[in-house]
């Protein structure tokens, strides 16, 4: 497939995935009361954490592979197989534990456990298609998923509980998973499934999981913790605000997860860094423009999007919009580091993600929910600055005597 066509299909696929995610949350907000949406948001946040862990362990190392030879096809098949097996085991455990617990949130978590292999499996196949340079196949499956989830959620009555919405949302991905599996089988048929390499101690996915844990899950779990011990509406308020930026959130995640195969087509390292910097500027400007549009949205239109959650979410738009602009810069900085040397990002993630949690907590203690939102923004600004400083140092580091680096080679960590 030509580079231009691959880029168009990949961008379109990420757009479809982003639209699906935001429509799921918008539909849940419109169908639920404020309390029910807070429960749905908490469960969906758990899914987001599990999705990130799955992508970090299997997907992100996979897309750093190059070529479409037998080894790459085997790696794709193995990554999908491991994801399905691990998500089935984890989902069964989650469902069994929550079956013994009372409350609507526990029932919703139980249903999440039952549909976990479907939603995580379908996402794993998307990484495989990206690695195989077949983004049009991922686009086809994601279009089917979008149609199915819209049809399923539109049939739900107002006041549907979180458990029901989680079940409908999860099962609506089943047709897309079956289609993806059939298309992937056509691409990798005959390639062996090799799970041991994915379970070895030196597997790069372990490092990426740690990065995700401190870079994303830590902040999200902190929100859940503050909601549990402080104001329960904090989760719904922050989730409602970030829902409005759903397309950007998915694009940022996709840049790290699906960008390397596209940037790998650029042979010169300097050009790759420049393209990544240009992408950061474009995404940051897009985030600022989108925040401006949302701030000017009439109250009636806002309530049409988020229902009763709109008043509390709209108050956080300045902070959340600024955070997403900083996230655009930081995400692209991490992408550049992944292309230069994927082992250099862990320290940045650990230090500045823990700093963001501290900013979040201090902001909440000083100014409530708005303070928490501005704390998250400050953390994103600090991380963005750190990533590009690291990129600059890697690009301008003097090579050791006799060191020769070919185009696309990974630089050793200084």
């Amino acid at each position: 497939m030509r580079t231009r066509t691959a880029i168009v299909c990949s961008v379109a696929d990420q757009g479809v995935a982003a639209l699906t995610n935001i429509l799921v949350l918008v539909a849940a907000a419109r169908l639920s009361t404020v309390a029910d949406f807070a429960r749905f948001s908490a469960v969906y946040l758990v899914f987001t954490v599990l999705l990130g862990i799955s992508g970090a362990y299997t997907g992100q190392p996979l897309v750093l592979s190059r070529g479409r030879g037998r080894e790459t096809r085997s790696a794709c098949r193995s990554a999908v197989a491991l994801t399905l097996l691990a998500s089935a085991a984890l989902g069964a455990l989650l469902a069994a534990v929550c079956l013994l617990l009372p409350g609507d949130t526990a029932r919703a978590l139980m249903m999440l456990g039952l549909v976990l292999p479907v939603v995580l499996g379908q996402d794993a196949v998307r990484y495989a298609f990206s690695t195989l340079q077949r983004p049009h196949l991922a686009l086809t499956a994601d279009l089917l998923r979008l149609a199915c989830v819209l049809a399923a959620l539109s049939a739900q009555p107002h006041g549907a509980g979180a458990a029901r919405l989680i079940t409908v949302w999860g099962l609506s991905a089943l047709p897309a998973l079956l289609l993806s599996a059939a298309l992937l089988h056509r691409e990798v048929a005959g390639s062996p499934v090799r799970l041991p390499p994915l379970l070895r101690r030196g597997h790069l996915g372990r490092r990426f999981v740690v990065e995700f844990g401190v870079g994303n899950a830590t902040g999200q779990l902190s929100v859940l913790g503050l909601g549990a011990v402080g104001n329960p509406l904090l989760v719904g308020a922050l989730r409602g605000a970030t829902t409005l930026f759903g397309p950007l959130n998915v694009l940022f995640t996709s840049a790290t997860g699906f960008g390397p195969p596209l940037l790998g087509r650029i042979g010169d390292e300097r050009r790759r860094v420049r393209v990544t910097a240009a992408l950061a500027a474009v995404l940051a400007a897009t985030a600022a423009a989108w925040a401006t549009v949302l701030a000017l949205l009439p109250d009636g239109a806002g309530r049409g999007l988020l229902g009763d959650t709109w008043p509390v979410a709209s108050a956080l738009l300045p902070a959340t919009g600024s955070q997403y602009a900083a996230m655009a810069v930081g995400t692209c900085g991490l992408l550049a580091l992944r292309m230069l040397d994927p082992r250099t990002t862990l320290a940045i993630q650990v230090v500045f993600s823990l700093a963001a949690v501290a900013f979040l907590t201090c902001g909440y203690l000083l100014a409530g929910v708005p303070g928490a939102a501005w704390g998250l923004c400050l953390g994103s600004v600090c991380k963005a600055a750190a990533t590009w400083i690291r990129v600059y140092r890697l690009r301008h580091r003097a090579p050791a005597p006799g060191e020769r680096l070919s185009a696309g080679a990974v630089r050793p960590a200084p």
Side-chain angles (χ1 to χ4, degrees):
M1 177 179 289
R2 294 181 177 178
T3 300
R4 183 174 299 179
T5 303
I7 292 175
V8 170
C9 290
S10 183
V11 171
D13 178 54
Q14 306 317 317
V16 170
L19 182 61
T20 301
N21 280 359
I22 192 172
L23 288 180
V24 166
L25 290 168
V26 167
R30 297 188 65 179
L31 291 171
S32 308
T33 63
V34 174
D36 283 335
F37 182 67
R39 295 189 191 96
F40 180 89
S41 298
V43 176
Y44 201 83
L45 201 56
V46 173
F47 159 71
T48 302
V49 172
L50 295 177
L51 179 67
I53 293 174
S54 175
Y57 193 90
T58 59
Q60 292 179 21
L62 182 62
V63 296
L64 293 177
S65 305
R66 296 199 176 180
R68 298 181 56 240
R70 180 180 175 84
E71 290 297 322
T72 300
R73 295 197 302 270
S74 176
C76 291
R77 194 173 186 182
S78 302
V80 173
L82 179 63
T83 300
L84 290 172
L85 291 173
S87 60
L90 179 61
L93 178 62
L94 179 62
V97 171
C98 292
L99 181 62
L100 305 177
L101 300 177
D104 294 336
T105 302
R107 285 195 294 272
L109 284 171
M110 181 182 69
M111 301 314 300
L112 174 63
L114 296 178
V115 302
L116 197 60
V118 178
V119 290
L120 292 188
Q122 203 265 336
D123 188 72
V125 180
R126 295 178 66 237
Y127 281 100
F129 286 145
S130 178
T131 304
L132 295 169
Q133 300 180 12
R134 291 290 185 266
H136 61 289
L137 300 181
L139 176 60
T140 301
D142 282 340
L143 285 172
L144 176 61
R145 183 177 183 182
L146 174 60
C148 291
V149 74
L150 286 180
L153 290 177
S154 63
Q156 304 309 304
H158 181 75
R164 177 170 179 169
L165 292 177
I166 289 291
T167 305
V168 170
W169 158 77
L171 292 180
S172 67
L174 185 57
L177 174 61
L178 296 176
L179 175 62
S180 297
L183 294 174
L184 181 64
H185 178 74
R186 187 181 65 182
E187 295 288 329
V188 301
S191 301
V193 175
R194 297 172 180 169
L195 298 184
L198 299 177
L199 303 175
R200 290 175 184 166
R201 186 173 183 178
H203 180 53
L204 196 58
R206 296 192 176 192
R207 176 181 289 267
F208 289 165
V209 167
V210 175
E211 289 189 26
F212 172 79
V214 297
N216 296 279
T218 301
Q220 294 174 348
L221 293 177
S222 298
V223 172
L224 286 176
L226 287 177
V229 302
N231 184 357
L233 295 181
L234 172 68
V235 178
L238 289 177
R239 193 60 181 173
T242 55
T243 295
L244 298 172
F245 292 86
L248 292 173
N249 198 44
V250 175
L251 287 175
F252 296 164
T253 304
S254 299
T256 302
F258 301 95
L262 296 176
L263 291 174
R265 293 169 178 253
I266 302 174
D268 182 66
E269 183 181 271
R270 180 176 297 180
R271 286 187 58 206
R272 284 200 300 269
V273 172
R274 287 178 177 176
V275 169
T276 308
L279 177 62
V282 170
L283 289 180
T286 302
W290 184 241
T292 302
V293 171
L294 292 174
L296 298 176
L297 202 65
D299 186 67
R303 288 183 177 274
L305 285 174
L306 294 181
D308 295 337
T309 307
W310 168 253
V312 290
S314 61
L316 306 182
L317 286 178
T320 305
S322 301
Q323 179 194 358
Y324 270 82
M327 284 172 60
V329 178
T331 298
C332 292
L334 290 175
L335 175 58
L337 289 177
R338 287 282 172 88
M339 300 299 295
L340 291 170
D341 185 348
R343 297 183 183 275
T344 59
T345 55
L346 180 57
I348 292 175
Q349 292 279 38
V350 170
V351 173
F352 291 96
S353 296
L354 293 178
V357 173
F359 295 149
L360 164 71
T361 305
C362 292
Y364 178 74
L365 294 176
L366 292 174
V369 177
W374 280 111
L376 289 174
C377 175
L378 180 58
S380 297
V381 170
C382 293
K383 184 185 290 188
T387 56
W388 283 101
I389 290 173
R390 185 64 169 166
V391 170
Y392 178 84
R393 289 177 176 176
L394 279 177
R395 282 289 301 121
H396 292 82
R397 182 181 68 87
E403 180 183 333
R404 297 180 62 186
L405 292 174
S406 61
V410 176
R411 289 179 180 270

